[in-house]
């Protein structure tokens, strides 16, 4: 079974802190994604990566950065957390090419106070 | 301006009835579609997919119908059970400059009542 794991289920941080969210997948997938999910807004793509050290901005990259040093690991970084970044963060991975399903992790509920 | 705090469309069905959840997609060039189920506090889980060369695909208790003419996708759940209560998302695959990305709908909340 494909497994996508995220480092924390719940996280509480203060405004201005640097926050790291880690995601690991065990299926050798080329593509990895970070989304945030907010009530009524669905899943919005923050960043994705289609290879090691490669990254592409999604729909809402402002205030975030990412790192992919190894194929199995994709990190989301909030350089200076703000209260409007309180959200559910979902990581996903997917095999390369077209028409493959995307597998999601369990999510990290981040609260910024 | 953008609205915030929109409520999800909600479908309420009785246990044992059939459910139909609808989704309109935007890109006529999309050629792959997926339905996901998300239970409270969990990440989305794959239910069923369909390629654009098909108009119907069946799984266990679920059927996906694709109408490319009107860019419409539906998920039918037979004999709905309380465990089917969740938010359901459709997703379409689009070929972006850097590969294949999924574009997700905002979701429909399914509530199954006894």
């Amino acid at each position: 079974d494909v497994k996508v794991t995220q480092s924390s289920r719940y996280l509480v941080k203060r405004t201005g802190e640097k926050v790291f969210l880690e995601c690991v997948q065990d299926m050798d997938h080329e593509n990895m994604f970070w989304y945030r999910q907010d009530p009524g807004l669905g899943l919005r793509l923050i960043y994705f990566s289609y290879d090691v050290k490669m990254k592409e901005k999604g729909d809402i990259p402002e205030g975030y950065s990412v790192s992919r040093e190894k194929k199995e690991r994709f990190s989301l970084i909030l350089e200076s957390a703000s209260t409007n970044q309180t959200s559910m963060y979902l990581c996903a991975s997917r095999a390369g090419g077209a028409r493959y399903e995307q597998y999601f992790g369990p999510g990290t509920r981040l609260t910024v106070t | 301006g953008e609205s915030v705090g929109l409520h999800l469309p909600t479908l309420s069905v009785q246990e044992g009835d059939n459910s139909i959840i609808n989704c309109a997609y935007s890109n006529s060039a999309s050629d792959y579609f997926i339905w996901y189920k998300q239970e409270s506090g969990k990440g989305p889980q794959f239910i069923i997919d369909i390629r654009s060369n098909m108009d119907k695909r069946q799984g266990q208790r679920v059927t996906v119908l694709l109408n490319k003419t009107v860019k419409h996708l539906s998920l039918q759940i037979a004999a709905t059970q309380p465990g089917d209560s969740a938010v359901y998302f459709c997703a379409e695959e689009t070929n972006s400059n850097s590969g294949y990305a999924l574009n997700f709908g905002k979701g429909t909340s399914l509530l199954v009542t006894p």
Side-chain angles (χ1 to χ4, degrees), chain A residues 9 33 35 37 39-44 48 50 56 88 90 94 97-106, chain B residues 2-3 5-6 8 31-32 34 36 38 41-44 46 51 89 93 96 98 100-102 104-106:
Chain A
R9 291 300 307 274
F33 307 82
Y35 296 87
Q37 185 176 33
L41 298 178
L43 282 85
R44 293 183 290 169
F48 67 98
Y50 54 93
E56 290 285 336
M88 169 70 89
L90 289 161
R94 191 178 186 208
R99 296 185 285 276
Y100 289 104
E101 71 173 275
Q102 198 162 288
Y103 296 87
F104 284 87
Chain B
E2 183 181 4
S3 299
L6 292 172
L8 280 178
D31 65 355
Y32 177 61
I34 307 177
Y36 284 91
Q38 186 176 24
K42 297 183 179 180
F46 171 88
R51 299 187 180 190
F89 295 95
E93 180 183 271
S96 71
S98 303
Y100 298 94
L102 289 179
F104 287 86
K106 290 191 170 40

Side-chain angles (χ1 to χ4, degrees), chain A residues 63-75:
Chain A
Y64 303 94
S65 62
V66 290
S67 172
R68 191 158 182 213
E69 296 297 316
K70 294 185 178 181
K71 192 174 186 180
E72 67 271 18
R73 189 178 297 268
F74 191 36
S75 302

Side-chain angles (χ1 to χ4, degrees), chain B residues 84-102:
Chain B
D84 294 327
S85 292
V87 175
Y88 290 82
F89 295 95
C90 64
E92 59 177 317
E93 180 183 271
T94 55
N95 187 357
S96 71
N97 289 335
S98 303
Y100 298 94
L102 289 179

Side-chain angles (χ1 to χ4, degrees), chain B residues 72-85:
Chain B
H72 184 267
L73 196 66
S74 69
L75 177 71
Q76 300 178 358
I77 305 173
T80 314
Q81 302 168 0
D84 294 327
S85 292

Side-chain angles (χ1 to χ4, degrees), chain B:
Chain B
E2 183 181 4
S3 299
V4 295
L6 292 172
H7 294 292
L8 280 178
T10 299
L11 177 65
S12 184
V13 299
Q14 284 204 305
E15 183 178 357
D17 287 351
N18 296 334
S19 304
I20 300 176
I21 300 170
N22 296 304
C23 179
Y25 64 93
S26 55
N27 190 340
S28 57
S30 297
D31 65 355
Y32 177 61
F33 305 88
I34 307 177
W35 279 100
Y36 284 91
K37 172 186 180 183
Q38 186 176 24
E39 296 174 278
S40 181
K42 297 183 179 180
Q45 291 179 290
F46 171 88
I47 303 173
I48 191 167
D49 59 1
I50 189 167
R51 299 187 180 190
S52 60
N53 60 352
M54 305 171 71
D55 53 21
K56 180 179 180 179
R57 188 160 189 232
Q58 288 185 290
Q60 189 177 12
R61 280 202 307 120
V62 294
T63 301
V64 56
L65 299 177
L66 175 62
N67 185 332
K68 294 180 288 293
T69 303
V70 295
K71 292 188 283 187
H72 184 267
L73 196 66
S74 69
L75 177 71
Q76 300 178 358
I77 305 173
T80 314
Q81 302 168 0
D84 294 327
S85 292
V87 175
Y88 290 82
F89 295 95
C90 64
E92 59 177 317
E93 180 183 271
T94 55
N95 187 357
S96 71
N97 289 335
S98 303
Y100 298 94
L102 289 179
N103 184 33
F104 287 86
K106 290 191 170 40
T108 296
S109 178
L110 176 66
L111 178 63
V112 182
T113 56

Side-chain angles (χ1 to χ4, degrees), chain A residues 6 28 37 47 52 64 75 97-98 105 112:
Chain A
Q6 295 182 229
D28 202 37
Q37 185 176 33
Y47 267 97
V52 176
Y64 303 94
S75 302
V112 182

